[in-house]
Amino acid sequence: MEEILRPLIVLGGTVAATVLAGLLIDRLLRYSADRRPGTRLPRLLRRVQLPLQVLLGSVALHGTFPLAELDFEQEPLIRNLLATVAIMAAAWLAIRVTDALAENTLHRYSARTADTSKVRQLNTQLALVRRVVTAILALTTAAVAMLLLFPDLRTLGTSLLASAGVIGVIAGVAAQSTLGNLVAGLQIAFGDSVKIGDTVVVEGEWGTVEEITLAFLTVRIWDDRRLTMPVSYFNSKPYENWSRGGPQITGTVFLHLDHSAPVAELREHLHDYLRDRPDWDGRAWNLLVTDSAPTNIVVRASMSARNADDVWTLRCAVREELVGWLGRRHPYALPKIPTSLAPTPEFA
């Protein structure tokens, strides 16, 4: 009977103590968050409860396993597996803590600065740093589990390390594009050329940078499509970044009108219309004749706005207003397309 009760008591007590320890830590974090409502870190650290319980449980089971006095041949294998789970849980815990600290840092920085470009830059850098830390921890955990916990694999690991030079050369040649994207991702993160939240025009598509990884960059286009491109594209080809140097931007509207169009009245009406628009920031506006052809003239209306979203809305509204106003007040100014047949000449 003792051979059955002893393992059950040891294993059950260890698991129960681990669960209680995790619940106690979570309760303390919740209490700290309630006492300090302006601090986000305790609430964010509550995400570590599960990996922390797994870590504590695996370490406790590894330490109390001999007390169970289970006599079977697989005991070394089970202890190695528990140690492996502990190492993986420690890496998982480190990743969760890193994410919580990064999110808390971004929140505190965005709360005390009004420069949205710097906030987007920090968000981009933290996102890439988190991915690098995650990749390093995952590779390190796998290497430690393989080389230290399983003696049978140490010879294989030594052979792999001895041939690392040759493998590195082969991998470098075979993965040039991947390594190029990795370097480009780090350059973008710390070079401030493009950031998460920037408004860009890429391949003729207008959108917002939604995600930057070590290999790819995702642009959310205005119609909610996603354009995914390699990061190296932004270091090798030209593109438009409307958020660089500040969110303010000037938009333009082109109208093709008849030569008889009342340009002065149209300019005055544009100014009157812009004064009532909340998305016009009041910095600049103008209306000029930029081109002339035998059949029409080209009129350009320009207006400034606080950001790319406002300027898009303002351009559409101005275009609709000017065309409608000309149609109501000066319909002769709109371009005309002849649709009647040309008269046939009469020969004597």
Side-chain angles (χ1 to χ4, degrees):
M1 191 68 176
E2 183 180 357
E3 297 178 353
I4 300 176
L5 290 179
R6 179 184 292 273
L8 291 178
I9 293 174
V10 172
L11 298 179
T14 303
V15 173
T18 301
V19 174
L20 289 176
L23 292 177
L24 178 60
I25 294 174
D26 182 71
R27 182 63 61 87
L28 291 175
L29 291 174
R30 183 185 300 178
Y31 176 77
S32 177
D34 293 338
R35 287 290 302 272
R36 300 178 180 178
T39 304
R40 291 170 50 92
L41 187 58
R43 296 184 183 276
L44 295 174
L45 287 177
R46 291 185 61 192
R47 303 174 184 174
V48 306
Q49 180 183 3
L50 181 57
L52 180 61
Q53 286 183 326
V54 174
L55 174 61
L56 295 177
S58 56
V59 171
L61 288 174
H62 187 274
T64 59
F65 193 83
L67 299 178
E69 296 182 358
L70 295 175
D71 187 14
F72 53 90
E73 299 179 354
Q74 288 77 15
E75 180 178 351
L77 177 61
I78 293 178
R79 299 194 67 180
N80 283 340
L81 289 176
L82 289 175
T84 303
V85 172
I87 293 175
M88 292 182 176
W92 186 13
L93 177 63
I95 292 172
R96 285 288 181 90
V97 172
T98 302
D99 289 343
L101 293 176
E103 188 171 342
N104 183 67
T105 301
L106 180 63
H107 175 74
R108 293 179 60 184
Y109 185 78
S110 61
R112 66 173 184 263
T113 181
D115 192 345
T116 57
S117 63
K118 292 183 178 180
V119 175
R120 292 198 303 268
Q121 181 182 4
L122 180 62
N123 186 21
T124 303
Q125 293 174 352
L126 290 177
L128 290 179
V129 167
R130 281 185 290 183
R131 287 185 171 88
V132 171
V133 171
T134 301
I136 292 176
L137 287 176
L139 292 175
T140 304
T141 302
V144 170
M146 179 182 295
L147 298 179
L148 298 182
L149 300 178
F150 298 98
D152 295 338
L153 297 178
R154 292 180 183 176
T155 304
L156 175 61
T158 304
S159 301
L160 291 176
L161 291 176
S163 58
V166 178
I167 294 176
V169 173
I170 296 175
V173 175
Q176 287 182 358
S177 60
T178 302
L179 294 176
N181 284 329
L182 175 61
V183 174
L186 296 176
Q187 289 177 344
I188 285 177
F190 298 97
D192 196 25
S193 61
V194 62
K195 303 176 290 295
I196 295 176
D198 281 0
T199 301
V200 296
V201 178
V202 184
E203 298 291 331
E205 298 287 355
W206 177 88
T208 305
V209 178
E210 186 176 56
E211 183 181 10
I212 299 177
T213 68
L214 293 177
F216 298 97
L217 186 147
T218 302
V219 178
R220 179 172 55 84
I221 306 175
W222 64 273
D223 57 359
D224 288 335
R225 290 180 295 144
R226 266 62 176 181
L227 181 63
T228 302
M229 312 183 68
V231 177
S232 58
Y233 175 93
F234 293 84
N235 285 341
S236 59
K237 296 184 179 180
Y239 61 94
E240 296 182 28
N241 190 340
W242 291 8
S243 301
R244 188 68 185 272
Q248 297 87 2
I249 191 171
T250 300
T252 57
V253 171
F254 289 91
L255 299 177
H256 295 263
L257 305 177
D258 190 81
H259 288 86
S260 59
V263 177
E265 295 182 31
L266 186 63
R267 183 181 297 113
E268 183 179 356
H269 178 71
L270 171 64
H271 193 200
D272 294 339
Y273 179 72
L274 289 176
R275 281 193 293 234
D276 296 331
R277 292 288 306 186
D279 40 16
W280 180 53
D281 61 1
R283 289 188 301 114
W285 73 278
N286 207 340
L287 189 141
L288 300 171
V289 178
T290 58
D291 197 6
S292 177
T295 57
N296 66 288
I297 60 174
V298 179
V299 176
R300 187 193 69 184
S302 59
M303 66 293 299
S304 59
R306 286 178 292 272
N307 52 57
D309 292 335
D310 285 350
V311 82
W312 172 260
T313 305
L314 186 59
R315 288 174 60 195
C316 295
V318 166
R319 184 182 297 109
E320 180 179 350
E321 174 63 24
L322 294 184
V323 172
W325 183 81
L326 287 174
R328 294 189 304 269
R329 300 291 185 87
H330 306 279
Y332 59 88
L334 296 176
K336 304 174 182 61
I337 300 177
T339 57
S340 60
L341 297 177
T344 303
E346 296 181 0
F347 298 96

